[in-house]
Amino acid sequence: MEEVKSLVSPEQMSTMVDWVSQFGLKLIAAIVVFFIGKWLARRISNLLKRGMQRAETDPTLIGFVGNIAYFGLLTMVVIAAVGQLGVQTTSFIAVLGAAGLAIGLALQGSLANFAAGVLMIIFRPFKAGDYIEAAGTAGSVEEVQLFTTTLKTPDNKIVIIPNAQVTSDTITNYSARDTRRLDLVFGVGYGDDLDKVKRVIWEVLNEESRLLKDPEPVVAVLNLGESSVDFAVRPWVNSADYWGVYFDLQEKMKKRFDQEGISIPFPQRDLHVYQHAS
């Protein structure tokens, strides 16, 4: 100990103690600012989310705005904490901006996903709970995050799609309207009575209580095919009843055709054999 004291003069020891004490206080202040600021950022973000929930805002918008607010406030907290250490925040912000530019160039795909997420929030082509088809995948929208959109498929799989792929392709929103039209096609034989077929189809439709009266269903000959006369059957239903009615009408129509003796032909070809005298 005496050897160490001999190596450091009293003036140097005093300077070191002052420096350590000053830096220690600054470090403690920076840590306090960071943790308190982080807590406040989380608190403000949660308050913002709850306020939007009380206003019955779209859940997709709530999550997106909450994340933006939190990370924006957290960035300000980090800058304030660094300022407590004596670092010039002006130059720090300039360095941060230059680093952000370099990172942005390296992460162009991520920034494209972020921009696409912002556009989806602004224009809102769909909301949480809607059943959509986008980027070759169909499912219910679970959440729109900063960079990705999460879909739940009908077989309960979770599919995470980059936002840029969602906006760069066609988006089909099956839940955008309260009603949908069923497009059904039933083929009957050429030897069947078309008037009878139309009557039977109308009877089956009238027995289905989930069909809407307005708009009125359409029943018409669609096509004279190679093996069948095809009828277009186009009733309207509530969007929530779409698949239930779709499956039930297929089954009911087949059973009723069987009862009425109406044939549903399968593809076939007539083969003519000609014999020639030798």
Side-chain angles (χ1 to χ4, degrees):
M1 188 67 180
E2 294 179 354
E3 293 179 357
V4 174
K5 290 182 178 179
S6 63
L7 294 175
V8 181
S9 64
E11 293 79 6
Q12 292 175 334
M13 180 64 70
S14 176
T15 302
M16 291 176 62
V17 171
D18 292 340
W19 183 85
V20 171
S21 61
Q22 292 178 5
F23 182 79
L25 291 175
K26 291 180 180 180
L27 181 61
I28 293 173
I31 293 174
V32 170
V33 168
F34 175 77
F35 283 103
I36 293 178
K38 183 179 180 181
W39 179 83
L40 286 175
R42 178 66 66 182
R43 182 73 174 173
I44 294 172
S45 176
N46 291 334
L47 289 174
L48 179 62
K49 290 180 180 180
R50 283 197 290 269
M52 297 177 71
Q53 288 173 351
R54 285 195 293 268
E56 298 182 353
T57 308
D58 181 8
T60 303
L61 186 61
I62 293 175
F64 192 89
V65 173
N67 290 333
I68 289 292
Y70 175 72
F71 287 111
L73 292 172
L74 189 61
T75 301
M76 297 174 61
V77 168
V78 171
I79 294 175
V82 172
Q84 294 296 321
L85 296 175
V87 178
Q88 294 294 327
T89 56
T90 303
S91 58
F92 178 76
I93 292 174
V95 172
L96 187 64
L101 178 61
I103 294 173
L105 293 175
L107 300 176
Q108 295 183 31
S110 297
L111 291 178
N113 291 328
F114 175 79
V118 173
L119 291 176
M120 285 192 293
I121 292 300
I122 294 175
F123 295 105
R124 299 180 66 185
F126 52 81
K127 62 182 183 298
D130 284 354
Y131 187 84
I132 69 169
E133 183 176 353
T137 302
S140 300
V141 179
E142 290 279 296
E143 186 179 9
V144 177
Q145 299 179 344
L146 292 178
F147 301 101
T148 60
T149 296
T150 303
L151 300 182
K152 183 175 72 174
T153 62
D155 56 349
N156 207 31
K157 292 186 295 187
I158 296 298
V159 180
I160 301 175
I161 308 174
N163 288 335
Q165 293 186 17
V166 176
T167 56
S168 65
D169 200 355
T170 301
I171 301 173
T172 304
N173 190 340
Y174 296 99
S175 303
R177 298 289 183 266
D178 295 331
T179 60
R180 289 182 62 186
R181 189 184 73 183
L182 286 169
D183 290 339
L184 303 173
V185 177
F186 298 100
V188 301
Y190 273 95
D192 292 309
D193 186 348
L194 298 187
D195 292 331
K196 178 183 177 180
V197 173
K198 293 183 70 173
R199 175 179 58 80
V200 170
I201 292 175
W202 275 110
E203 289 176 356
V204 174
L205 295 180
N206 291 330
E207 293 171 359
E208 177 53 66
S209 59
R210 290 170 293 181
L211 297 184
L212 302 178
K213 303 300 181 182
D214 185 24
E216 185 179 5
V218 173
V219 178
V221 175
L222 176 65
N223 180 46
L224 300 178
E226 294 184 358
S227 305
S228 64
V229 178
D230 299 327
F231 276 83
V233 180
R234 295 176 177 174
W236 287 80
V237 296
N238 291 320
S239 296
D241 297 331
Y242 182 88
W243 287 111
V245 177
Y246 181 91
F247 295 136
D248 288 346
L249 280 182
Q250 297 274 10
E251 180 179 349
K252 291 177 180 179
M253 206 69 71
K254 173 62 169 65
K255 291 180 177 179
R256 191 61 179 276
F257 281 4
D258 292 342
Q259 293 176 2
E260 298 291 338
I262 299 173
S263 62
I264 301 179
F266 49 85
Q268 58 185 343
R269 294 184 181 277
D270 293 332
L271 180 63
H272 300 273
V273 179
Y274 296 96
Q275 292 183 349
H276 297 277
S278 58

